[in-house]
Amino acid sequence: MEKLKPKLFSVMKTYTKEQFVKDVIAGIIVAIIALPLSIALALASGVTPEKGLYTAITAGFVISFLGGSRVQIAGPTAAFATIVAGIVAKNGFEGLVLATLMAGIFLIAMGLLRLGSLIKYIPYTITTGFTSGIAVTILVGQLKDFFGLTVVSEEPLIETMDKLKAVFVFFDTFNVQAFLVGLVSLAILIFWNRLPGVLQKIPPSLVAVIVGIVLVKGMHLHVNTIGDLYEISNKLPAFHMPAFSFKLVRNVLPDAFTIAILAAIESLLSCVVSDGMIGSRHRSNMELVAQGAGNITSALFGGIPATGAIARTAANIKNGGRTPIAGMVHAVTLLLILVVLMPYAALIPMPVIAAILFMVAYNMSEWRKFRYLLKTSPKSDIIVLVTTFILTVVFDLVVAIEIGILLAALLFMKRMSDETDVEGWKYIEEEDDPENINLMAVPAHTKVYEMSGPMFFAAADKILTITPADEDDCLVLRMRSVNAIDATAMHSLETLFDKCTRKKITMIFSHVNSQPMSVMEKAGFVDKVGRDNFCDHIEAALQRAADLKGNQNH
């Protein structure tokens, strides 16, 4: 069984000074990358800029310290932006803190209960659908700042469709200067990594921020900055216990559950990707415990939900990070930046933030995978994919995940039900086909039915299609292709047995596999039918029917 032991404690046994230097360098570089992202994601989540840094500092440190991965970098991610904004709008920041705290408890429970492997039961079409949907919601949410629009609304616009509608309604307030700053920033983000030599090592988001500040301040452009819209604080994260009430707990419970599931999926996916990059193997249950502890810490110190960030984790690996020390250095570096440089964040133009989030949305959209799934997947999977995507955009992630999983389960059961079959043997007289040496001799007044596929509640009614005639003496059920049955199928078998008993027909079973046999034993069905009537193979079952027929004749 997988150990519940942080990777940090394992790697320190063979830790070297050389690796420490590499981890420190990687941690500092990742912190520089995380700085504008953390601020941008905080703003996209409807909270103040420093809360993004609080999250990266507190959750980032705890998750690296306790995590089950060698290289995981944690912090705020785009996946949570729309959820967080919705919670803040409905229940205030206190509601968000409570939801994050509850999600952390759920994650720790999942890890302690060894549920790390259960995440694989979330269909790929659902994760792709809601990830692409989140990308669209982030893009739509940043159109206002990218175009420099002045949107007038009595209440904050949370729903994606409301934001999109506002873009069209208020497009006459289009700010050319803001748009040009946004375009320049977007061009830097797209093309910077194509430059030669050492320039590629400078994070393009940091370059875009500096260029944006220089353009707006140097040319005195009329463009909103973070300082124009938000109050900037460089205070250290302070402990704060949220207010508890039954009503608030009830209101945020669905959101807390969604945060926990999403954090688990995203963090474990990041671990799998990073494992492939460094040839390691993460501890999924320990990672869930760490994610839970990190989210609880973030909530208690003024942060927002956190999870493993694939892009930042990949940057850590590319820059030489190989142990959790790099993630801890990343958190400490951000803490120093918060204290020293945070006041200067007020100068960052909003179109630059929008451009950074455009790139985040593009990178997480997985549009190539989406297109590939549309071309190659079965119809049922396409329905789940498109439905989850549309619900994420039009409604929210909570609705999308709930309905997506329900729809996937229903379509899976339909598919399995179609694969389940109960078919009677065809009876051919020997003179009709004398050349067929594969014909089995079936005793007179004996019917044989071949059962295949899982016998569960969606297919149990097929058992009741078996209709033995009044003149029959034996009914043989061949179950070599039935690998599982459930309580509903068991009930149908018992109903069929009662019907046969009334007609004085003996039921005989051939090749019952281990799981169905276990269910039948537990239900007392084996003793009811008679153990002698359970045969290892079809020849023995037919011989049993012949023996019973012979005994009747005597």
Side-chain angles (χ1 to χ4, degrees), residues 303-343:
I304 60 178
T307 186
I310 296 176
R312 276 160 271 175
T313 299
N316 178 37
I317 294 170
K318 290 176 183 177
N319 287 284
R322 289 295 181 275
T323 77
I325 296 294
M328 295 159 68
V329 170
H330 139 268
V332 173
T333 304
L334 284 174
L335 180 64
L336 296 175
I337 291 174
L338 170 69
V339 175
V340 178
L341 299 178
M342 194 59 185

Short mmCIF file of all heavy atoms in Angstrom, two decimals, residues 303-343:
data_model
loop_
_atom_site.label_atom_id
_atom_site.label_comp_id
_atom_site.label_asym_id
_atom_site.label_seq_id
_atom_site.Cartn_x
_atom_site.Cartn_y
_atom_site.Cartn_z
N GLY A 303 -6.09 33.71 2.01
CA GLY A 303 -5.92 33.33 0.62
C GLY A 303 -7.18 32.75 0.01
O GLY A 303 -8.27 32.78 0.61
N ILE A 304 -7.03 32.23 -1.19
CA ILE A 304 -8.14 31.61 -1.94
C ILE A 304 -7.75 30.17 -2.23
O ILE A 304 -6.65 29.73 -1.90
CB ILE A 304 -8.42 32.41 -3.24
CG1 ILE A 304 -7.17 32.44 -4.15
CG2 ILE A 304 -8.88 33.82 -2.90
CD1 ILE A 304 -7.40 33.17 -5.46
N PRO A 305 -8.64 29.38 -2.85
CA PRO A 305 -8.30 27.97 -3.12
C PRO A 305 -7.03 27.82 -3.96
O PRO A 305 -6.73 28.64 -4.82
CB PRO A 305 -9.53 27.46 -3.88
CG PRO A 305 -10.64 28.33 -3.42
CD PRO A 305 -10.03 29.68 -3.21
N ALA A 306 -6.30 26.76 -3.66
CA ALA A 306 -5.03 26.49 -4.35
C ALA A 306 -4.99 25.04 -4.80
O ALA A 306 -5.68 24.18 -4.25
CB ALA A 306 -3.85 26.77 -3.42
N THR A 307 -4.16 24.80 -5.79
CA THR A 307 -3.91 23.43 -6.24
C THR A 307 -2.60 23.41 -6.99
O THR A 307 -1.96 24.44 -7.19
CB THR A 307 -5.06 22.92 -7.14
OG1 THR A 307 -4.85 21.54 -7.44
CG2 THR A 307 -5.12 23.70 -8.44
N GLY A 308 -2.18 22.22 -7.41
CA GLY A 308 -0.96 22.12 -8.20
C GLY A 308 -1.13 22.80 -9.54
O GLY A 308 -2.15 22.63 -10.21
N ALA A 309 -0.15 23.59 -9.93
CA ALA A 309 -0.20 24.34 -11.19
C ALA A 309 0.74 23.68 -12.19
O ALA A 309 1.96 23.66 -12.00
CB ALA A 309 0.20 25.79 -10.96
N ILE A 310 0.18 23.12 -13.26
CA ILE A 310 0.98 22.35 -14.21
C ILE A 310 2.07 23.20 -14.85
O ILE A 310 3.23 22.77 -14.95
CB ILE A 310 0.07 21.73 -15.29
CG1 ILE A 310 -0.91 20.73 -14.64
CG2 ILE A 310 0.89 21.03 -16.37
CD1 ILE A 310 -1.91 20.13 -15.60
N ALA A 311 1.73 24.42 -15.29
CA ALA A 311 2.71 25.26 -15.99
C ALA A 311 3.86 25.64 -15.07
O ALA A 311 5.04 25.59 -15.46
CB ALA A 311 2.02 26.51 -16.54
N ARG A 312 3.55 26.04 -13.83
CA ARG A 312 4.61 26.42 -12.89
C ARG A 312 5.44 25.22 -12.46
O ARG A 312 6.65 25.31 -12.25
CB ARG A 312 3.98 27.12 -11.67
CG ARG A 312 3.73 28.61 -11.89
CD ARG A 312 2.72 29.17 -10.92
NE ARG A 312 1.37 29.04 -11.43
CZ ARG A 312 0.27 29.35 -10.75
NH1 ARG A 312 0.37 29.81 -9.51
NH2 ARG A 312 -0.92 29.20 -11.28
N THR A 313 4.80 24.05 -12.35
CA THR A 313 5.53 22.83 -12.03
C THR A 313 6.51 22.48 -13.15
O THR A 313 7.66 22.11 -12.90
CB THR A 313 4.55 21.67 -11.80
OG1 THR A 313 3.69 21.98 -10.69
CG2 THR A 313 5.29 20.38 -11.49
N ALA A 314 6.04 22.62 -14.40
CA ALA A 314 6.92 22.34 -15.55
C ALA A 314 8.10 23.32 -15.58
O ALA A 314 9.24 22.93 -15.87
CB ALA A 314 6.12 22.43 -16.84
N ALA A 315 7.84 24.59 -15.26
CA ALA A 315 8.92 25.59 -15.22
C ALA A 315 9.93 25.25 -14.14
O ALA A 315 11.15 25.42 -14.33
CB ALA A 315 8.33 26.98 -14.97
N ASN A 316 9.46 24.74 -13.02
CA ASN A 316 10.34 24.32 -11.93
C ASN A 316 11.28 23.21 -12.40
O ASN A 316 12.50 23.25 -12.18
CB ASN A 316 9.49 23.84 -10.75
CG ASN A 316 10.31 23.34 -9.59
OD1 ASN A 316 11.38 23.86 -9.28
ND2 ASN A 316 9.83 22.30 -8.93
N ILE A 317 10.73 22.24 -13.10
CA ILE A 317 11.52 21.11 -13.59
C ILE A 317 12.54 21.57 -14.62
O ILE A 317 13.72 21.19 -14.57
CB ILE A 317 10.59 20.03 -14.19
CG1 ILE A 317 9.70 19.42 -13.10
CG2 ILE A 317 11.40 18.95 -14.90
CD1 ILE A 317 8.59 18.55 -13.62
N LYS A 318 12.10 22.42 -15.55
CA LYS A 318 12.99 22.88 -16.63
C LYS A 318 14.17 23.69 -16.10
O LYS A 318 15.22 23.77 -16.73
CB LYS A 318 12.19 23.70 -17.64
CG LYS A 318 11.23 22.86 -18.47
CD LYS A 318 10.40 23.72 -19.40
CE LYS A 318 9.40 22.88 -20.18
NZ LYS A 318 8.52 23.72 -21.05
N ASN A 319 13.98 24.31 -14.91
CA ASN A 319 15.04 25.13 -14.33
C ASN A 319 15.86 24.40 -13.27
O ASN A 319 16.62 25.03 -12.54
CB ASN A 319 14.46 26.42 -13.77
CG ASN A 319 14.04 27.39 -14.85
OD1 ASN A 319 14.87 28.05 -15.46
ND2 ASN A 319 12.74 27.45 -15.12
N GLY A 320 15.70 23.08 -13.19
CA GLY A 320 16.56 22.27 -12.33
C GLY A 320 15.99 21.85 -11.00
O GLY A 320 16.65 21.15 -10.23
N GLY A 321 14.75 22.27 -10.68
CA GLY A 321 14.13 21.86 -9.41
C GLY A 321 13.84 20.37 -9.41
O GLY A 321 13.25 19.85 -10.36
N ARG A 322 14.26 19.68 -8.35
CA ARG A 322 14.03 18.24 -8.27
C ARG A 322 13.54 17.78 -6.89
O ARG A 322 13.30 16.59 -6.71
CB ARG A 322 15.32 17.46 -8.62
CG ARG A 322 15.71 17.52 -10.09
CD ARG A 322 14.69 16.83 -10.98
NE ARG A 322 15.08 16.85 -12.38
CZ ARG A 322 14.84 17.87 -13.22
NH1 ARG A 322 14.23 18.95 -12.77
NH2 ARG A 322 15.21 17.81 -14.48
N THR A 323 13.40 18.71 -5.97
CA THR A 323 12.90 18.33 -4.64
C THR A 323 11.91 19.39 -4.17
O THR A 323 11.85 20.50 -4.72
CB THR A 323 14.04 18.22 -3.61
OG1 THR A 323 14.44 19.53 -3.19
CG2 THR A 323 15.23 17.46 -4.16
N PRO A 324 11.12 19.08 -3.12
CA PRO A 324 10.16 20.06 -2.59
C PRO A 324 10.80 21.35 -2.08
O PRO A 324 10.10 22.35 -1.86
CB PRO A 324 9.50 19.29 -1.45
CG PRO A 324 9.63 17.85 -1.84
CD PRO A 324 10.95 17.75 -2.50
N ILE A 325 12.12 21.35 -1.89
CA ILE A 325 12.81 22.57 -1.45
C ILE A 325 12.56 23.71 -2.44
O ILE A 325 12.39 24.87 -2.04
CB ILE A 325 14.33 22.33 -1.30
CG1 ILE A 325 14.60 21.30 -0.19
CG2 ILE A 325 15.07 23.62 -1.01
CD1 ILE A 325 14.23 21.76 1.19
N ALA A 326 12.50 23.41 -3.74
CA ALA A 326 12.27 24.43 -4.76
C ALA A 326 10.92 25.11 -4.56
O ALA A 326 10.81 26.34 -4.66
CB ALA A 326 12.36 23.81 -6.16
N GLY A 327 9.89 24.32 -4.27
CA GLY A 327 8.57 24.90 -4.02
C GLY A 327 8.54 25.77 -2.78
O GLY A 327 7.85 26.80 -2.73
N MET A 328 9.27 25.36 -1.75
CA MET A 328 9.33 26.14 -0.51
C MET A 328 10.09 27.45 -0.74
O MET A 328 9.69 28.50 -0.23
CB MET A 328 9.98 25.30 0.58
CG MET A 328 9.13 24.08 0.97
SD MET A 328 10.07 22.76 1.79
CE MET A 328 10.47 23.55 3.33
N VAL A 329 11.18 27.40 -1.53
CA VAL A 329 11.92 28.62 -1.88
C VAL A 329 11.03 29.56 -2.68
O VAL A 329 11.05 30.78 -2.48
CB VAL A 329 13.20 28.26 -2.66
CG1 VAL A 329 13.85 29.53 -3.25
CG2 VAL A 329 14.18 27.52 -1.77
N HIS A 330 10.24 29.01 -3.59
CA HIS A 330 9.29 29.81 -4.39
C HIS A 330 8.35 30.59 -3.49
O HIS A 330 8.09 31.78 -3.70
CB HIS A 330 8.54 28.87 -5.35
CG HIS A 330 7.08 29.12 -5.52
ND1 HIS A 330 6.13 28.48 -4.73
CD2 HIS A 330 6.40 29.93 -6.36
CE1 HIS A 330 4.93 28.88 -5.09
NE2 HIS A 330 5.05 29.76 -6.08
N ALA A 331 7.85 29.93 -2.43
CA ALA A 331 6.92 30.59 -1.50
C ALA A 331 7.62 31.69 -0.69
O ALA A 331 7.09 32.79 -0.52
CB ALA A 331 6.31 29.54 -0.56
N VAL A 332 8.82 31.41 -0.22
CA VAL A 332 9.57 32.40 0.57
C VAL A 332 9.94 33.61 -0.29
O VAL A 332 9.86 34.76 0.16
CB VAL A 332 10.83 31.76 1.17
CG1 VAL A 332 11.70 32.81 1.83
CG2 VAL A 332 10.45 30.68 2.19
N THR A 333 10.32 33.35 -1.55
CA THR A 333 10.66 34.45 -2.46
C THR A 333 9.46 35.36 -2.69
O THR A 333 9.59 36.59 -2.70
CB THR A 333 11.16 33.89 -3.81
OG1 THR A 333 12.26 33.01 -3.58
CG2 THR A 333 11.59 35.01 -4.74
N LEU A 334 8.29 34.76 -2.87
CA LEU A 334 7.07 35.55 -3.05
C LEU A 334 6.75 36.37 -1.80
O LEU A 334 6.22 37.49 -1.90
CB LEU A 334 5.89 34.64 -3.41
CG LEU A 334 5.86 34.12 -4.85
CD1 LEU A 334 4.73 33.12 -5.02
CD2 LEU A 334 5.70 35.27 -5.84
N LEU A 335 7.05 35.82 -0.64
CA LEU A 335 6.84 36.56 0.61
C LEU A 335 7.70 37.82 0.64
O LEU A 335 7.23 38.91 1.01
CB LEU A 335 7.16 35.66 1.81
CG LEU A 335 6.99 36.29 3.20
CD1 LEU A 335 5.53 36.64 3.45
CD2 LEU A 335 7.51 35.33 4.27
N LEU A 336 8.95 37.69 0.23
CA LEU A 336 9.85 38.86 0.18
C LEU A 336 9.38 39.87 -0.86
O LEU A 336 9.42 41.09 -0.62
CB LEU A 336 11.28 38.39 -0.14
CG LEU A 336 11.94 37.48 0.90
CD1 LEU A 336 13.29 36.98 0.40
CD2 LEU A 336 12.10 38.20 2.24
N ILE A 337 8.92 39.37 -2.00
CA ILE A 337 8.41 40.26 -3.05
C ILE A 337 7.18 41.01 -2.55
O ILE A 337 7.01 42.21 -2.81
CB ILE A 337 8.08 39.45 -4.32
CG1 ILE A 337 9.37 38.93 -4.97
CG2 ILE A 337 7.31 40.31 -5.32
CD1 ILE A 337 9.15 38.00 -6.14
N LEU A 338 6.31 40.30 -1.82
CA LEU A 338 5.10 40.92 -1.27
C LEU A 338 5.45 42.13 -0.40
O LEU A 338 4.85 43.20 -0.54
CB LEU A 338 4.32 39.89 -0.44
CG LEU A 338 3.15 40.43 0.40
CD1 LEU A 338 2.02 40.89 -0.50
CD2 LEU A 338 2.66 39.35 1.38
N VAL A 339 6.42 41.96 0.46
CA VAL A 339 6.78 43.02 1.41
C VAL A 339 7.48 44.18 0.70
O VAL A 339 7.20 45.35 0.98
CB VAL A 339 7.69 42.45 2.52
CG1 VAL A 339 8.17 43.57 3.43
CG2 VAL A 339 6.94 41.39 3.32
N VAL A 340 8.36 43.87 -0.25
CA VAL A 340 9.21 44.90 -0.85
C VAL A 340 8.58 45.55 -2.08
O VAL A 340 8.61 46.78 -2.23
CB VAL A 340 10.59 44.30 -1.21
CG1 VAL A 340 11.47 45.35 -1.89
CG2 VAL A 340 11.27 43.74 0.03
N LEU A 341 8.01 44.72 -2.97
CA LEU A 341 7.61 45.23 -4.28
C LEU A 341 6.11 45.38 -4.49
O LEU A 341 5.68 45.92 -5.51
CB LEU A 341 8.16 44.30 -5.39
CG LEU A 341 9.69 44.17 -5.46
CD1 LEU A 341 10.07 43.19 -6.56
CD2 LEU A 341 10.33 45.53 -5.71
N MET A 342 5.29 44.91 -3.55
CA MET A 342 3.85 44.91 -3.77
C MET A 342 3.27 46.30 -4.06
O MET A 342 2.37 46.43 -4.89
CB MET A 342 3.13 44.28 -2.57
CG MET A 342 1.67 43.94 -2.86
SD MET A 342 1.54 42.78 -4.24
CE MET A 342 -0.23 42.69 -4.44
N PRO A 343 3.74 47.37 -3.42
CA PRO A 343 3.18 48.69 -3.75
C PRO A 343 3.29 49.05 -5.23
O PRO A 343 2.45 49.78 -5.76
CB PRO A 343 4.01 49.65 -2.88
CG PRO A 343 4.44 48.82 -1.72
CD PRO A 343 4.68 47.45 -2.29
#
